[in-house]
């Protein structure tokens, strides 16, 4: 197992813990509430038809008051996606990012 595969495995384990509702520590991504991150992972799983364990929360921002933007990596290839939530952690949308 090389370093890249080991790192990818670690991310998958982290995503699995998130999907399972691990209670050990709060998961914060760029200031977004834990509920927003969990809801984004669940929404991406449904939208892109992949297991929740293959969705990884990468980083996030708060571009406006009460709206959170969370970057996701989808699947084994780590395809980038974007999820937005409101102040109540309701998912506003989840989309794949365009290649630059």
């Amino acid at each position: 197992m090389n370093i890249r595969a080991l790192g990818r495995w670690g991310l998958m384990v982290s995503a699995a813990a998130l999907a399972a509702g691990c209670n050990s520590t709060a998961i914060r991504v760029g200031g977004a509430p834990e509920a927003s991150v969990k809801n984004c992972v669940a929404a991406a799983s449904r939208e892109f038809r992949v297991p929740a364990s293959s969705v990884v929360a990468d980083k996030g921002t708060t571009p406006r008051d009460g709206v959170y933007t969370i970057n996701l990596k989808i699947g084994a290839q780590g395809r980038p996606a974007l999820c937005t939530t409101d102040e109540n952690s309701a998912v506003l949308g989840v989309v794949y990012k365009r290649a630059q």
Side-chain angles (χ1 to χ4, degrees), residues 7-57:
R8 200 173 279 152
W9 179 81
L11 289 174
M12 293 300 179
V13 169
S14 298
L18 174 64
C22 179
N23 294 326
S24 61
T25 60
I27 296 167
R28 301 287 291 192
V29 177
E34 180 180 5
S36 290
V37 177
K38 286 182 179 182
N39 290 346
C40 278
V41 169
S45 175
R46 285 189 307 271
E47 180 71 23
F48 304 129
R49 299 173 195 219
V50 296
S53 61
S54 70
V55 179
V56 178

Side-chain angles (χ1 to χ4, degrees), residues 36 39 84-93:
S36 290
N39 290 346
T84 56
T85 66
D86 66 11
E87 65 275 1
N88 297 317
S89 299
V91 174
L92 303 173

Side-chain angles (χ1 to χ4, degrees), residues 59-75:
K59 62 182 178 177
T61 60
T62 307
R64 296 183 313 210
D65 289 339
V67 175
Y68 300 99
T69 302
I70 300 167
N71 292 320
L72 304 170
K73 303 267 184 195
I74 310 297

